[in-house]
Amino acid sequence: VLSLCCEACKKVIFHVPSELEADTLVGRVDLKECLQSAEFISSSNENFKILEDGSVYTTSAVSLSAEKKTFTILLKDIQEHVQKTIHVSLVEEEKKTQKTRHARDTVLKRTKRRWGPIPSVMIENSLGPFPLQIQQVQSDTAQNYTIYYSASGPGIDQDPKGLFYIERETGNIFATRAVDREQYPSFQIICFATTPDGYSPEVPLVHTIRIEDDNDNAPYFTQDLFEFSVPENSKPGIVVGKVTAEDRDEPYTLHTTLKYRIVSQNPPVTPAFSLHGDTGVIAVLLPQLDRELVSSYTLLVEVRDMAGQPFGLCTTGTAVIRIEDTNDNAPCFKQTQYETRVEENRVNVEILRVSVVDLDEPGSPGSGAVYEIIRGNDDRSFEITTDKNTNEGILCVVKGLDYESAKQRILVIAVNNEAPYMLAPHSQQLSQSTSSVTVHVLDVDEGPVFKPCHLRLDVKECEEIGKSIGRYLAEDPETGNSEGICYRIPPGQCNWISIDEKSGEVRTIKVLDRDVEEMRRGQCNITVLAIDRNGKTGTGTIQVVIQPGNKNYPRITKTEYIMCRDRKPICLTAQDGDESPYSTPFVYRITDRSLASMWKITRHNDNSVYLSPKGDIPFGTYEIPVSVIDNGGKVGENLVKVNLCDCVTPTECDTGPRSSSNGNVTLGVWAILAMILGSLLLLLILKTICGCCGSGVMHRHVTDDCANHNLIISNTEAPGEEVMDHNVIPLQNTNDQGGYGIKTGDQQTFEMVKGRGHTLESVKGGGHQTLGSVKEGGGQPMMDTCRYSYSEWHNFTHPRLGEKVHLCRQDEEQKHSEDYLLSYNYEGKGSLAGSVGCCSDQHEEEALDFLDQLEPKFRTLAETCVKR
């Protein structure tokens, strides 16, 4: 391989073969000339690597191609923040003409052998003499070339500098001084073999110098002081803790194989613990550890390397083991008998303190005392607690004592610990310590005493003012009677009652109503004072409880209903403001006999019933009187209005004012006037529309498909009734608005269809004269053309409407309205299609020939509607 050196930091050209094997030296670049202190060296092409001396080697087999002919060497000085690049170009060298070989010539292929001695070893802390030869490196190419050896790396030209060097001519490696393995366990240096002209026939050699360990470090404990704790009375084998030590020498050698042992124990009694030699685990050895005898142990432990051999290095440490307290000692009273005194009727006073002795650790649950009175406190007049600071028992009187009842009381007190007992193995059961206390009761002059001290008085709700509800008396404990005692209620309490000063009789001073805000709780506690002749006082309590009464009538919550044609029963529910037993269950009855024969009531639950008709009764509005009786016998009268309507859903039913309790239909004056005004408004609209249409002549051409836009499928399964009689009043409108009048029996209605199915109904009086008869002079109606002008319609309706209005004004009982004014149920929405009036016209000269050209599906409808 030939190399051509050019100006550094600009461009370097190497002439190389077209095929390069891995680890082939390409050439060398002078890096220091480009950047003196290069700390980072890298190649832009991963197929090439650059060593610290500037040698360029291939990392894998390379075949020269366009993209592999150039690459860049990057140099960085991290501290100075300097960066430089060197551009390297590879040029294929010219091939030399080879001489023709004879057939007998053997083709020999030279294989290059790597030069690499085994790693060198240097003993740590070696004593010399220095310089000390540790290895020699040689190259096979020294047989053909003059070879000079050099090296670089840690210990040579890097820290620690000057530790090693290599002879230039022989390749011997020498050490100049001793080395500490713990600081430098090994060195990796790079050895070079070059000719005098700088050619490198060998790949640089990475050589390792390993420092062999010497046992120059003693083991040491990881802590200056190890502290452990173990409960007393622990069983042998219980692990207490673990001591650990480390050694800086080479791991996994005898230099770091450690052994532990206990050197001494303080106090120097029977050995209580054992130490595992390999792991350093401390365990309990003594079967009985008693904290009350020895509270802690101090162990001096040793660790030695070389597997504990005498010539190994060693270190000692300290372990302190504290014995934790357990409750293995019962508390004991210092005295077995106590005496004390207390005045009668004294409450919440301390009368005695008792103390105990406990050998367990003070302040721990094992020594905390818990006192209890086990005998002599059946009435719970006494109570004993523990003073947490002194661990003493405090005996108190919590309920006043009576000298006249008992002059002394004898109590028996026992004591235990807060924590349960934990006895040592094979020990006896602990006994409970007790002590007796004699309490002497001292006699004092007492005030009056109420009997009972708490009196309950039940008062019925809404009792009259001043009603006597009971008596509350007190007695003098000395005399046993109530003479000379006065009674009084202190102010500031609920003023429901008063008490007579002499007799103690209790009376109400206001009406006790549970619905009043201040009485809503229903009870009140009142303190009463009793005062004797000496001014001594006693107190008692009266609890006034208001008992609920039957003061409210049951009422039905909802009284207006709509019942459709399915006659689904209506659920009536009543409410009563009273409480039990004056509320539910309720009893419902229909008080009107005629309506009771038409309607029935069926029980649902305690406060609800079902109301339903007994049979097929007429449609209309029924006012049904229903009485509701509560459990206390109080009767509430209710009027239930049921609109029995010919509808599917209640929203379809006309909820206008009408009544059908007896089968008669009546209308109010305001309803009649509203209908008349609606009719007049309808006439005004018709007049306006006809006036607009009459301003010009309109010709309508009816096509054959006119019926397709105005006649809809009615799903009629059979022909309907004949409607071609003299009571039908057909109307025409040029704006696709039409109407018709139908009279059935004694009822005649007029319906105007507007827009897209919106219907306006008005009610007319019952006459037998139609518009057709008026047009023909009162004879037969003209059913052939069925066309009328607005003037003819006006002449027919105006005088009759005026006559009806006049009669309604003259008749106060509204008899005339009953004859001809009827309300009809709404039978559904109008058709979404327009009126069939588009098939006709106002002009009589236009024929109805298009009806003969209808499609087959409309012929049935035409035959039904037209009398042939």
Side-chain angles (χ1 to χ4, degrees):
V1 178
L2 300 179
S3 63
L4 179 62
C5 296
C6 297
E7 184 179 359
C9 292
K10 290 186 178 180
K11 189 174 183 181
V12 177
I13 301 176
F14 293 113
H15 293 273
V16 296
S18 60
E19 300 292 336
L20 296 176
E21 296 180 357
D23 296 327
T24 301
L25 177 65
V26 178
R28 179 176 295 178
V29 180
D30 191 353
L31 302 180
K32 294 187 179 298
E33 182 179 353
C34 181
L35 185 61
Q36 186 67 29
S37 57
E39 299 178 357
F40 179 79
I41 305 172
S42 64
S43 170
S44 63
N45 194 327
E46 61 182 5
N47 293 324
F48 300 93
K49 65 180 179 179
I50 293 88
L51 302 183
E52 294 180 355
D53 63 341
S55 300
V56 180
Y57 285 89
T58 58
T59 59
S60 60
V62 176
S63 177
L64 292 186
S65 58
E67 61 272 9
K68 293 183 180 179
K69 288 184 179 181
T70 61
F71 63 92
T72 303
I73 299 175
L74 178 63
L75 307 178
K76 288 184 180 180
D77 187 345
I78 300 175
Q79 294 182 355
E80 298 295 333
H81 302 286
V82 178
Q83 176 176 320
K84 291 188 177 183
T85 58
I86 300 175
H87 299 281
V88 179
S89 298
L90 303 182
V91 178
E92 184 179 357
E93 63 183 1
E94 297 180 358
K95 297 181 179 179
K96 297 180 180 180
T97 304
Q98 296 181 356
K99 296 181 179 180
T100 304
R101 293 180 178 271
H102 296 283
R104 66 177 181 272
D105 294 341
T106 304
V107 179
L108 300 178
K109 185 175 180 181
R110 180 176 181 271
T111 302
K112 189 174 184 180
R113 183 173 62 86
R114 295 291 303 273
W115 60 303
I118 62 175
S120 304
V121 176
M122 179 181 178
I123 298 176
E124 180 185 16
N125 301 322
S126 176
L127 299 178
F130 296 102
L132 177 66
Q133 181 180 356
I134 59 176
Q135 187 60 274
Q136 181 184 19
V137 294
Q138 285 186 338
S139 174
D140 294 343
T141 60
Q143 299 175 3
N144 303 322
Y145 301 95
T146 299
I147 298 298
Y148 292 143
Y149 299 96
S150 62
S152 65
I156 298 178
D157 54 0
Q158 299 178 14
D159 291 334
K161 295 181 179 180
L163 181 59
F164 304 103
Y165 70 89
I166 187 171
E167 288 185 344
R168 183 180 182 189
E169 291 80 10
T170 63
N172 293 327
I173 301 175
F174 293 89
T176 61
R177 60 183 182 271
V179 183
D180 186 5
R181 190 206 66 84
E182 285 70 39
Q183 187 176 5
Y184 301 106
S186 64
F187 297 89
Q188 280 192 345
I189 62 175
I190 301 176
C191 301
F192 303 96
T194 59
T195 61
D197 59 355
Y199 173 67
S200 298
E202 295 283 1
V203 177
L205 174 67
V206 178
H207 184 63
T208 301
I209 302 175
R210 186 176 63 85
I211 308 301
E212 186 174 341
D213 183 49
D214 180 33
N215 191 22
D216 58 341
N217 293 282
Y220 61 92
F221 285 101
T222 57
Q223 295 178 219
D224 296 334
L225 179 65
F226 292 92
E227 293 183 335
F228 307 106
S229 62
V230 62
E232 63 177 331
N233 301 320
S234 295
K235 297 179 181 181
I238 296 296
V239 175
V240 177
K242 180 180 180 180
V243 294
T244 55
E246 295 179 353
D247 197 320
R248 296 181 58 198
D249 290 325
E250 186 175 0
Y252 311 109
T253 63
L254 280 175
H255 299 165
T256 55
T257 303
L258 307 181
K259 287 288 185 178
Y260 302 89
R261 73 183 184 93
I262 297 176
V263 178
S264 63
Q265 172 185 292
N266 188 29
V269 293
T270 305
F273 303 96
S274 63
L275 178 61
H276 195 281
D278 295 329
T279 62
V281 174
I282 301 175
V284 176
L285 181 63
L286 188 67
Q288 291 183 345
L289 295 176
D290 192 352
R291 190 204 65 84
E292 286 72 34
L293 297 178
V294 180
S295 60
S296 66
Y297 294 85
T298 302
L299 303 180
L300 181 65
V301 295
E302 177 192 83
V303 58
R304 186 182 295 269
D305 60 12
M306 300 301 291
Q309 297 183 33
F311 54 83
L313 303 179
C314 66
T315 303
T316 59
T318 304
V320 176
I321 303 174
R322 187 175 61 87
I323 307 302
E324 294 180 349
D325 181 53
T326 59
N327 191 18
D328 58 345
N329 295 280
C332 181
F333 282 103
K334 292 183 178 180
Q335 296 178 223
T336 57
Q337 292 183 353
Y338 293 89
E339 286 192 15
T340 185
R341 290 175 174 81
V342 64
E343 294 179 351
E344 64 174 333
N345 299 322
R346 294 289 302 275
V347 180
N348 296 327
V349 293
E350 178 183 330
I351 61 174
L352 181 66
R353 279 180 175 253
V354 296
S355 57
V356 295
V357 176
D358 197 322
L359 299 178
D360 292 320
E361 185 177 2
S364 66
S367 64
V370 178
Y371 301 90
E372 63 175 335
I373 303 173
I374 61 175
R375 191 162 57 247
N377 191 31
D378 296 337
D379 58 352
R380 300 188 179 276
S381 299
F382 300 92
E383 185 180 81
I384 187 167
T385 57
T386 303
D387 188 339
K388 297 297 182 180
N389 296 325
T390 62
N391 210 29
E392 294 178 330
I394 305 173
L395 182 63
C396 300
V397 178
V398 295
K399 190 184 296 184
L401 303 178
D402 187 7
Y403 174 80
E404 287 74 22
S405 300
K407 295 179 176 55
Q408 71 176 16
R409 300 283 294 271
I410 299 177
L411 308 176
V412 177
I413 302 174
V415 63
N416 290 299
N417 288 130
E418 296 177 4
Y421 295 116
M422 297 181 63
L423 304 180
H426 310 292
S427 62
Q428 296 181 355
Q429 186 71 25
L430 298 178
S431 60
Q432 187 181 44
S433 178
T434 60
S435 179
S436 64
V437 178
T438 302
V439 180
H440 299 280
V441 183
L442 303 179
D443 186 24
V444 295
D445 186 11
E446 301 174 89
V449 178
F450 281 97
K451 292 186 178 179
C453 61
H454 188 279
L455 177 64
R456 174 185 172 124
L457 295 178
D458 294 332
V459 185
K460 288 187 177 180
E461 189 176 10
C462 300
E463 287 283 5
E464 298 179 357
I465 298 176
K467 181 178 179 57
S468 176
I469 59 176
R471 297 183 66 187
Y472 196 29
L473 301 178
E475 295 181 356
D476 190 338
E478 307 298 333
T479 62
N481 55 51
S482 302
E483 295 180 0
I485 297 178
C486 298
Y487 304 95
R488 188 178 305 165
I489 296 178
Q493 306 181 74
C494 58
N495 55 344
W496 292 2
I497 61 172
S498 64
I499 187 168
D500 188 85
E501 185 177 356
K502 301 297 182 183
S503 63
E505 186 175 8
V506 182
R507 296 180 179 273
T508 60
I509 59 176
K510 60 167 55 177
V511 177
L512 304 183
D513 190 352
R514 293 171 60 90
D515 295 334
V516 179
E517 184 68 27
E518 63 177 354
M519 301 180 186
R520 191 154 291 177
R521 292 178 299 173
Q523 67 178 21
C524 178
N525 293 334
I526 302 171
T527 302
V528 181
L529 298 180
I531 308 171
D532 62 7
R533 295 186 181 94
N534 298 326
K536 298 286 185 179
T537 60
T539 59
T541 302
I542 298 178
Q543 183 183 25
V544 181
V545 180
I546 304 175
Q547 298 295 333
N550 193 12
K551 66 174 183 177
N552 295 300
Y553 294 93
R555 298 291 181 185
I556 296 177
T557 57
K558 182 180 178 182
T559 58
E560 294 186 2
Y561 297 90
I562 297 177
M563 180 181 290
C564 290
R565 65 177 66 142
D566 58 358
R567 302 176 185 266
K568 184 178 179 180
I570 298 170
C571 184
L572 303 179
T573 302
Q575 289 183 351
D576 194 330
D578 298 324
E579 297 181 3
S580 179
Y582 302 108
S583 56
T584 56
F586 298 136
V587 178
Y588 292 77
R589 292 177 182 174
I590 300 177
T591 57
D592 187 276
R593 292 187 176 180
S594 61
L595 291 174
S597 62
M598 303 171 63
W599 297 84
K600 65 179 179 179
I601 289 177
T602 306
R603 174 182 171 82
H604 177 215
N605 52 32
D606 287 347
N607 62 337
S608 301
V609 295
Y610 288 119
L611 177 65
S612 60
K614 289 185 177 180
D616 190 8
I617 62 177
F619 293 107
T621 300
Y622 295 85
E623 295 182 354
I624 306 171
V626 179
S627 65
V628 184
I629 307 172
D630 62 16
N631 198 36
K634 212 150 196 175
V635 182
E637 298 293 341
N638 303 268
L639 187 63
V640 179
K641 293 184 179 181
V642 180
N643 185 1
L644 184 57
C645 181
D646 187 10
C647 60
V648 178
T649 60
T651 56
E652 300 177 1
C653 186
D654 180 14
T655 59
R658 52 182 175 164
S659 174
S660 298
S661 59
N662 295 322
N664 297 324
V665 180
T666 59
L667 292 176
V669 176
W670 291 108
I672 298 174
L673 292 178
M675 295 179 182
I676 295 174
L677 290 176
S679 301
L680 294 178
L681 179 61
L682 179 61
L683 293 177
L684 180 60
I685 295 173
L686 292 175
K687 181 177 180 181
T688 303
I689 296 174
C690 293
C692 295
C693 296
S695 60
V697 178
M698 179 181 293
H699 297 278
R700 175 173 298 177
H701 299 281
V702 181
T703 60
D704 294 341
D705 61 346
C706 180
N708 293 333
H709 295 280
N710 295 276
L711 297 179
I712 63 173
I713 299 174
S714 61
N715 293 330
T716 302
E717 298 180 358
E721 297 179 357
E722 291 291 345
V723 296
M724 299 301 297
D725 55 22
H726 65 279
N727 291 324
V728 177
I729 308 174
L731 300 177
Q732 304 300 325
N733 195 315
T734 59
N735 294 328
D736 290 341
Q737 297 176 353
Y740 56 89
I742 300 176
K743 177 183 176 186
T744 304
D746 60 348
Q747 299 175 353
Q748 183 173 355
T749 67
F750 169 73
E751 179 179 340
M752 174 64 70
V753 179
K754 298 177 62 179
R756 294 179 57 85
H758 298 281
T759 305
L760 176 67
E761 292 184 0
S762 63
V763 181
K764 291 182 54 181
H768 293 280
Q769 190 174 11
T770 65
L771 181 61
S773 62
V774 173
K775 182 176 180 182
E776 295 300 326
Q780 294 297 327
M782 295 180 61
M783 301 306 298
D784 53 349
T785 61
C786 296
R787 295 175 175 86
Y788 304 95
S789 65
Y790 169 75
S791 60
E792 292 171 345
W793 168 258
H794 179 72
N795 294 334
F796 174 76
T797 58
H798 188 268
R800 285 156 181 77
L801 287 175
E803 178 183 357
K804 302 305 180 184
V805 173
H806 176 72
L807 292 176
C808 290
R809 290 178 179 176
Q810 298 298 326
D811 187 5
E812 295 181 355
E813 298 182 358
Q814 304 176 3
K815 295 295 185 178
H816 292 280
S817 64
E818 296 180 358
D819 295 336
Y820 60 85
L821 289 179
L822 292 176
S823 296
Y824 284 87
N825 292 328
Y826 177 62
E827 297 182 355
K829 297 182 179 179
S831 172
L832 295 178
S835 172
V836 296
C838 69
C839 297
S840 60
D841 197 84
Q842 287 185 342
H843 303 281
E844 297 182 3
E845 54 268 33
E846 292 186 8
L848 300 176
D849 297 335
F850 69 95
L851 293 176
D852 297 330
Q853 302 175 3
L854 295 177
E855 294 180 2
K857 63 180 179 180
F858 294 112
R859 294 189 182 279
T860 304
L861 178 62
E863 292 173 0
T864 303
C865 298
V866 180
K867 178 181 287 186
R868 301 237 175 232

